[in-house]
Amino acid sequence: MQLFSILPIILIFAPLALLLSFAPYVTRETISFGVTVSQYNYYTPVLRKLRRTFTTVSLIGNGLIILACLYVLRSANEESTAMITSVCTMIFIVYWSALHIVFHFKMKKIKETLTTVEAPQRVKIDTTFRQNKLTYSNYWFLVHIAIIVAIAIITILNYNALPNVIPMKYDLQGNVTSSVPKTYLSVLAINLVQLGIIALMMLVNWSIKTSKQQLAPSNPAQFAADHIRFRRKWSLFTIITGLLLTILFAFIQINMFVPNQVLLTAISLITSVGILLGAILLSLTGRQGGGKIRNHQEDRERSREQPVNDDDYWKLGFIYFNANDPSFTVEKRYGIGWTINFARPLSWVLVLLIIAIVVLSRVLSQ
């Protein structure tokens, strides 16, 4: 078994499996498996048991998938390693989706049995929320763009020093498996991909700032303060992630001049793991939208008020589709982060942009 073939499975799949398995514990206290509940109901024994069951089943299932993947990779060669990893990824995604949908419908049935407060639905909002600094400026991405431009200029100035054939892909032993003739387009292709990624990151940062403001069932001032901290830390994470990816691609381009496949593979792995661990660390320091993960309130202190119920706009509990909502991005109902309103045309443009970047990267690497 090749070390570099199992490291991505262990260092990326395993942390991701842990993050997804414990996701019900970091979502809002007013959401359970994509279904709206009161804060009081979130901590009832039946929902505590549901979360424990989900986490146990998820850990066992994902653990078996990872072990099966490692077992099959024992005797895999270069070609079959890529195929096995792709198949395992698909099984991983399908298993998570199926598990979430099963528990989503379980939760909808349980909700019918929960006690509710017979009172008009009320919401509270801090009207000064938008006057605060919610994210870090997109001007920080000028640092990323400056690195990209500098590497591109160095590449052009040293164009004649490059070999006539540019290696684009290596196997796990460092052998070249794909290459293209030297042209200005082929040597600058990485810079185009970098610019596409940075544009995407800037869009994400803008979306964090402009995403729909959440309504509080109680204490709007504290709710807004938690929410501002939540947006700012994820904005900073987006900028740092963009910088790490820019540096990674810069190393890939420098590798054309000074090939060192072992160093490049190590940097690729460290960058991927670092970004994933950073996301996990942020997820463990607060709930979706802000607030502490551990709630030490007594049951009598927890709000029994029913929050805004927009379940009808969340398909299967995690796909938002609301043609009456002008918002482009909204907070996820499952896990931490943001998702898009699929009823907005711009959302589909973004999806096509992401697909275009992936396809362009694949084509240029052939």
Side-chain angles (χ1 to χ4, degrees):
M1 186 185 300
Q2 297 295 330
L3 179 62
F4 283 130
S5 66
I6 65 170
L7 280 180
I9 303 297
I10 296 174
L11 298 180
I12 296 178
F13 275 57
L16 193 57
L18 288 173
L19 185 62
L20 292 177
S21 298
F22 287 95
Y25 290 92
V26 297
T27 55
R28 287 182 178 279
E29 293 173 316
T30 53
I31 301 293
S32 180
F33 296 100
V35 179
T36 304
V37 296
S38 69
Q39 187 191 50
Y40 176 82
N41 281 331
Y42 181 86
Y43 288 98
T44 52
V46 64
L47 294 196
R48 288 178 187 269
K49 181 180 179 182
L50 192 67
R51 288 195 290 274
R52 286 198 302 270
T53 304
F54 175 87
T55 300
T56 303
V57 174
S58 179
L59 287 174
I60 293 174
N62 286 318
L64 291 175
I65 293 172
I66 292 172
L67 289 176
C69 188
L70 293 176
Y71 179 79
V72 177
L73 281 173
R74 286 183 313 136
S75 55
N77 55 29
E78 174 62 23
E79 292 184 359
S80 59
T81 294
M83 185 181 68
I84 292 169
T85 304
S86 299
V87 170
C88 288
T89 303
M90 288 302 301
I91 295 175
F92 194 84
I93 295 172
V94 170
Y95 177 71
W96 175 85
S97 301
L99 194 62
H100 168 78
I101 292 171
V102 168
F103 276 77
H104 171 69
F105 285 106
K106 277 180 177 288
M107 183 60 232
K108 292 185 77 172
K109 285 187 177 180
I110 292 174
K111 184 178 180 179
E112 297 173 359
T113 67
L114 297 175
T115 57
T116 56
V117 175
E118 296 296 334
Q121 192 176 78
R122 295 182 302 173
V123 296
K124 300 175 182 176
I125 187 169
D126 184 344
T127 55
T128 64
F129 179 76
R130 292 286 176 190
Q131 298 174 12
N132 295 279
K133 183 179 180 181
L134 302 179
T135 60
Y136 292 91
S137 171
N138 263 349
Y139 285 122
W140 282 103
F141 285 100
L142 290 176
V143 176
H144 309 54
I145 295 174
I147 295 174
I148 296 171
V149 172
I151 295 296
I153 292 174
I154 291 173
T155 302
I156 293 172
L157 293 177
N158 294 277
Y159 181 80
N160 292 331
L162 288 169
N164 292 326
V165 178
I166 304 298
M168 300 297 289
K169 190 175 180 181
Y170 297 85
D171 62 17
L172 297 174
Q173 285 72 44
N175 303 313
V176 178
T177 60
S178 176
S179 58
V180 296
K182 181 177 71 173
T183 64
Y184 279 103
L185 177 60
S186 63
V187 299
L188 297 177
I190 291 177
N191 302 116
L192 297 177
V193 174
Q194 280 178 302
L195 290 175
I197 292 174
I198 295 306
L200 189 60
M201 290 291 178
M202 293 176 71
L203 180 61
V204 171
N205 196 41
W206 171 81
S207 299
I208 293 174
K209 178 181 180 181
T210 59
S211 67
K212 185 178 180 179
Q213 182 179 353
Q214 297 295 309
L215 302 176
S218 60
N219 197 353
Q222 182 62 47
F223 183 84
D226 291 341
H227 203 85
I228 291 169
R229 283 195 294 271
F230 172 75
R231 291 198 187 207
R232 293 196 68 183
K233 73 178 184 180
W234 281 100
S235 170
L236 181 60
F237 176 75
T238 302
I239 293 171
I240 292 175
T241 297
L243 182 61
L244 291 176
L245 291 177
T246 300
I247 294 173
L248 171 61
F249 277 83
F251 269 105
I252 293 174
Q253 201 159 0
I254 291 172
N255 197 62
M256 293 179 183
F257 297 95
V258 189
N260 190 329
Q261 184 57 23
V262 174
L263 177 62
L264 182 59
T265 302
I267 291 174
S268 300
L269 197 56
I270 291 171
T271 302
S272 302
V273 173
I275 293 173
L276 181 58
L277 291 180
I280 293 175
L281 181 63
L282 282 185
S283 301
L284 295 177
T285 58
R287 286 182 175 275
Q288 169 73 310
K292 297 178 180 177
I293 292 179
R294 294 183 66 84
N295 187 328
H296 298 289
Q297 288 180 311
E298 299 291 335
D299 283 347
R300 57 184 169 76
E301 298 175 312
R302 294 188 174 117
S303 173
R304 292 173 182 258
E305 294 184 45
Q306 189 70 16
V308 174
N309 187 347
D310 57 350
D311 290 355
D312 290 342
Y313 298 121
W314 288 90
K315 313 305 178 187
L316 300 177
F318 64 93
I319 300 174
Y320 187 63
F321 192 97
N322 184 358
N324 298 319
D325 187 350
S327 302
F328 170 58
T329 55
V330 293
E331 288 185 16
K332 285 182 179 178
R333 280 208 154 190
Y334 190 88
I336 289 184
W338 287 262
T339 186
I340 54 179
N341 180 2
F342 282 92
R344 311 305 304 170
L346 182 58
S347 300
W348 293 101
V349 173
L350 176 63
V351 172
L352 292 175
L353 174 63
I354 295 173
I355 294 175
I357 291 175
V358 173
V359 172
L360 179 63
S361 301
R362 294 287 298 175
V363 169
L364 292 174
S365 65
Q366 297 301 314

